[in-house]
Amino acid sequence: MNSAAPDDLVDAEADATILACLDLSAPKSFFLYAGAGSGKTRSLVEAIRTVCAKQGRQLSLSGRQIGVITYTNAACDEIKQRLEFDPRVEVSTIHAFAWALIGGYDADIRQWLATNLLEEIAELEAAQAKGRAGSKAASDRARSIESKRRRHASLNEIIRFVYSPTGDNRTRDALNHAEVIAMTAQFLRTKLGLRRLLIARFPILMIDESQDTSRRLMEALLDVQTAHKDSFSLGLFGDTMQRIYAEGMEKLADAIPPEWARPRKIMNHRCPKRVIQLINQIRAEDDQQEQRPRKDAAHGVVRIFLAPETSSSPSQIESAAAARMAEVTGDALWSAGDAEIKTLALEHLMSARRFGFQAFFEPLYNHEQMRTGLLDGSARGIGFFTRELLPLAQALAGDDKFAITATLRKTSPLLERDRLAEAGLNQRDLLIEAKSTCARLHQLLHSGSSPTLRDVLRLVAETGLFTIPDILAPFAKHDDPVEPIAEEQTSKEADARAAEDLEDAKSETGAWRLALDAPFEQISKYDRYVRGVSRFDTHQGVKGLEFPRVMVVISDEEARGFMFNYGKLMGIKEKTKADHDNEAAGKETALDRTRRLFYVTCSRAEQSLAIVYYSSDPVTVRDGLIARNWFDADEIEIVR
């Protein structure tokens, strides 16, 4: 890492270290620290190309491959293309990789599911015993118990289990995403044959974005490597500061065995010098890792705009900030509209409130186990609304008969191939039934007021328009009458039921019960947000991407101090005793989460960065930021 070396060669030592580990005759494992803009994917691809060039014949003759696990389908496709679809390399997402390992082990899957379902039923029955009869929560739990018992009873009838890494997996013989990851992790820990199969097939396994890989699966793979260190190379690529998913492994770097190689890339080829200076300061209180800008990098511009959180028109404030950025940067595209600016929110609930999908989003987001799947659209039940009902609703609104028919043929039981074949000459009757059902759905959606998701779900269940996912099945029927509260018990009973509803909301079923009260129209807004086509994008969606002009929007009021705390991050608020206790115990804090997401969003900027910070006291914030030395006085502007 010679400071006098050309920029493109500064990290050559890290690349050489990786390549030395990928020797099939003497494999070694490594963890590559690669900060934002460091060219991590390029290092991964170049290492694989070299291995294939030097040891490819050995791989081919032995029928083995290099395995590469990526986090998204887009990243998977990019790596495959860069490698020119080399058959000696298997590139897949974590879900596809997991299913490739365990698919076909139906007896083991059946046994795991039977045990897991009984455990889930027992938990629900315990909650039911503690809860109050006659409430909506009790009714929902009873239906969930019934649904899980039916699934448990039918397990022996299933000959072969199926799973799609990109689908919604709702048929009786299908597994969901969480189940596949959980059982793969357990099987790797407990079944020696599966371990041997993994190593025999993939003597080299590389994991991109390793800090966000499921904790349980990562722990299992680390166990495999420890037990087979002389025949298995596990290569982890990532940056712990960029861990943004709750299911990722905390303190991953601490879990790496001491004998592993730890190459480090210090160059940032993406950001201008001023942005790199800022992101180095952001992570200074975490791991003290610093990056170096390219010698030919522009200086860049950073501004932070402070606004009162009581502002009635955030969009005007952000437009004014963009106009001001156009002035100070000389870049007229800052004033060219949303299409030229990538706006990122650190708090998803801020986006949900601004764009009108809060009632649907917030209950599900508050359930921690659902959070990752909610943000990438893969959570159980989500696809039912976004990939089936929404396309049909949009086709019906536009009277697009081709799109209506295509949607029904793709997933609706009304027009599935076997049913049409059985109908023979009476297929016209099925088409009439489907047309009538669509007319009912269109009438419900456009009868004046927007129906709730629950209303639409019940219509679908009644008509058989689509298959209802198990997680939504308890809500597909009309609620049983809620038992009235006796007059003399009104206050006490109402408080008890309110407390029970609050506790129930912490469960997946309870979260869905609340979310289904949202208007159906919110699904379209949510879908646009998670797909990254709204004005705001998610920090999940942009990780690994870069944009010339980035605006990061944060708010103390939106953060609420629970999941995030911008005041503490900026040094304006003091850490609490709980913060210090959690740090001492090695537990993650709101400050840790805020710092990581702030780093990810700021490090997307290729040219200039604007931060809009809504707080209760912008003047105090300005003074605190100057004292903290993250921003110069002329980089801080108060707007109203």
Side-chain angles (χ1 to χ4, degrees):
M1 293 185 291
N2 184 351
S3 60
D7 290 334
D8 292 335
L9 299 179
V10 167
D11 289 325
E13 181 181 335
D15 292 333
T17 299
I18 293 170
L19 197 57
C21 291
L22 305 180
D23 183 348
L24 293 174
S25 61
K28 187 176 180 179
S29 296
F30 64 89
F31 175 72
L32 171 69
Y33 157 72
S38 60
K40 167 174 57 68
T41 302
R42 187 185 69 82
S43 290
L44 186 153
V45 169
E46 290 303 319
I48 293 174
R49 283 176 176 162
T50 303
V51 171
C52 287
K54 294 183 177 181
Q55 304 176 76
R57 177 176 170 79
Q58 187 177 346
L59 284 170
S60 299
L61 290 175
S62 60
R64 296 180 292 173
Q65 293 176 295
I66 298 172
V68 180
I69 297 174
T70 67
Y71 207 92
T72 66
N73 288 308
C76 182
D77 292 341
E78 179 185 353
I79 293 173
K80 285 180 180 179
Q81 290 172 5
R82 289 198 195 187
L83 291 171
E84 299 178 328
F85 301 93
D86 194 318
R88 295 165 296 187
V89 187
E90 180 66 29
V91 187
S92 61
T93 63
I94 189 68
H95 292 95
F97 171 81
W99 182 240
L101 282 181
I102 68 171
Y105 290 90
D106 298 292
D108 294 314
I109 291 172
R110 185 177 296 106
Q111 182 179 359
W112 186 94
L113 282 173
T115 301
N116 190 63
L117 282 167
L118 289 176
E119 290 174 354
E120 291 180 348
I121 290 169
E123 290 177 5
L124 285 168
E125 289 178 333
Q128 195 76 321
K130 293 179 183 178
R132 296 179 175 270
S135 66
K136 285 186 177 181
S139 177
D140 293 341
R141 281 195 296 265
R143 292 174 186 164
S144 291
I145 292 170
E146 179 186 355
S147 176
K148 291 180 186 297
R149 283 176 175 165
R150 284 199 305 268
R151 189 183 184 199
H152 184 270
S154 69
L155 288 177
N156 289 331
E157 301 172 9
I158 299 173
I159 298 174
R160 180 169 292 275
F161 291 92
V162 298
Y163 170 72
S164 168
T166 58
D168 295 313
N169 301 293
R170 292 205 308 278
T171 57
R172 192 165 55 92
D173 54 354
L175 305 170
N176 64 52
H177 303 305
E179 289 170 342
V180 167
I181 294 298
M183 67 178 72
T184 302
Q186 183 171 324
F187 291 175
L188 281 174
R189 284 181 174 276
T190 59
K191 300 183 183 301
L192 297 181
L194 187 63
R195 289 188 173 205
R196 287 193 291 268
L197 176 66
L198 169 63
I199 297 164
R201 183 176 175 185
F202 300 115
I204 297 172
L205 179 62
M206 302 184 186
I207 304 179
D208 195 15
E209 303 292 0
S210 58
Q211 73 280 351
D212 277 323
T213 301
S214 167
R215 173 184 54 80
R216 286 182 292 184
L217 193 52
M218 180 59 71
E219 289 173 345
L221 290 171
L222 289 172
D223 283 349
V224 172
Q225 189 279 332
T226 298
H228 301 275
K229 61 181 67 176
D230 294 330
S231 56
F232 180 53
S233 172
L234 182 60
L236 306 183
F237 292 72
D239 176 12
T240 53
M241 180 59 76
Q242 296 189 66
R243 181 172 70 85
I244 54 179
Y245 287 109
E247 65 183 27
M249 187 173 179
E250 291 184 32
K251 312 293 183 183
L252 174 60
D254 295 341
I256 302 301
E259 66 270 17
W260 280 36
R262 293 181 181 241
R264 176 171 170 254
K265 294 174 73 78
I266 66 169
M267 287 295 299
N268 183 318
H269 300 277
R270 171 194 301 153
C271 301
K273 295 174 182 177
R274 179 62 187 95
V275 172
I276 293 174
Q277 179 187 16
L278 175 62
I279 62 176
N280 282 342
Q281 289 172 307
I282 291 171
R283 71 184 302 163
E285 296 179 4
D286 185 82
D287 58 9
Q288 293 84 46
Q289 297 282 3
E290 290 192 357
Q291 289 185 292
R292 181 190 304 175
R294 293 181 62 90
K295 296 184 181 70
D296 58 358
H299 184 269
V301 175
V302 171
R303 286 290 187 279
I304 182 165
F305 299 92
L306 307 178
E309 61 191 19
T310 55
S311 174
S312 60
S313 183
S315 60
Q316 290 184 6
I317 286 177
E318 288 148 31
S319 294
R324 177 63 179 147
M325 288 297 292
E327 291 180 20
V328 298
T329 62
D331 181 358
L333 290 179
W334 268 105
S335 294
D338 297 337
E340 300 296 338
I341 304 170
K342 179 56 65 172
T343 303
L344 305 174
L346 264 68
E347 176 48 58
H348 293 286
L349 285 176
M350 175 192 296
S351 300
R353 293 187 185 100
R354 287 185 174 210
F355 302 130
F357 58 92
Q358 177 186 356
F360 169 72
F361 185 84
E362 187 167 12
L364 302 178
Y365 187 67
N366 287 338
H367 183 64
E368 185 171 343
Q369 283 70 34
M370 285 192 67
R371 196 167 291 148
T372 298
L374 179 66
L375 295 175
D376 64 16
S378 68
R380 290 196 297 169
I382 295 291
F384 171 75
F385 290 109
T386 60
R387 290 187 285 276
E388 295 190 17
L389 270 171
L390 181 59
L392 180 58
Q394 292 171 336
L396 288 169
D399 195 26
D400 186 339
K401 293 180 175 57
F402 178 82
I404 293 169
T405 303
T407 302
L408 293 177
R409 285 187 176 276
K410 183 178 180 181
T411 54
S412 175
L414 297 181
L415 296 183
E416 62 185 10
R417 183 175 302 175
D418 291 345
R419 191 170 186 227
L420 289 170
E422 290 176 5
L425 297 177
N426 297 319
Q427 289 184 5
R428 177 180 172 82
D429 294 339
L430 297 184
L431 295 174
I432 292 173
E433 179 188 357
K435 182 177 181 180
S436 174
T437 298
C438 287
R440 288 184 60 185
L441 176 61
H442 184 268
Q443 182 180 13
L444 176 64
L445 294 175
H446 301 281
S447 59
S449 60
S450 176
T452 67
L453 295 171
R454 193 189 307 269
D455 294 332
V456 178
L457 176 66
R458 287 171 178 165
L459 175 63
V460 171
E462 179 185 339
T463 60
L465 180 59
F466 294 115
T467 302
I468 306 295
D470 287 343
I471 189 63
L472 299 179
F475 313 102
K477 300 178 182 178
H478 288 277
D479 289 329
D480 298 328
V482 177
E483 293 184 4
I485 302 171
E487 186 175 346
E488 65 274 11
Q489 295 180 312
T490 299
S491 178
K492 182 178 178 181
E493 184 69 14
D495 289 345
R497 287 194 181 180
E500 182 183 350
D501 287 344
L502 187 62
E503 184 64 27
D504 180 64
K506 298 177 183 178
S507 68
E508 186 176 13
T509 302
W512 268 113
R513 179 167 58 82
L514 296 175
L516 290 174
D517 288 332
F520 180 79
E521 64 185 16
Q522 293 197 7
I523 282 295
S524 176
K525 298 173 182 178
Y526 157 78
D527 182 58
R528 288 177 57 81
Y529 179 64
V530 296
R531 288 191 294 111
V533 296
S534 66
R535 185 169 71 85
F536 272 33
D537 209 337
T538 68
H539 39 260
Q540 282 85 356
V542 300
K543 190 169 65 168
L545 302 179
E546 52 200 34
F547 310 95
R549 291 158 293 280
V550 171
M551 178 178 289
V552 178
V553 181
I554 57 181
S555 166
D556 284 329
E557 191 275 332
E558 300 284 351
R560 299 181 182 177
F562 174 60
M563 287 294 297
F564 306 95
N565 196 306
Y566 308 118
K568 292 177 183 177
L569 175 69
M570 302 294 184
I572 299 156
K573 295 181 181 178
E574 296 293 330
K575 295 180 183 178
T576 64
K577 181 180 183 301
D579 291 327
H580 291 293
D581 291 343
N582 285 332
E583 288 175 353
K587 296 180 180 179
E588 184 178 83
T589 66
L591 177 58
D592 295 327
R593 287 187 289 270
T594 310
R595 181 187 294 114
R596 289 200 306 268
L597 299 189
F598 193 52
Y599 176 89
V600 169
T601 51
C602 291
S603 61
R604 301 306 97 195
E606 295 176 290
Q607 298 176 12
S608 50
L609 169 68
I611 303 161
V612 180
Y613 181 8
Y614 296 93
S615 74
S616 59
D617 189 351
V619 173
T620 300
V621 171
R622 179 196 58 193
D623 296 342
L625 289 176
I626 292 174
R628 189 171 180 76
N629 204 32
W630 278 18
F631 303 93
D632 295 334
D634 61 357
E635 293 178 323
I636 305 172
E637 300 187 21
I638 295 179
V639 295
R640 303 190 185 280

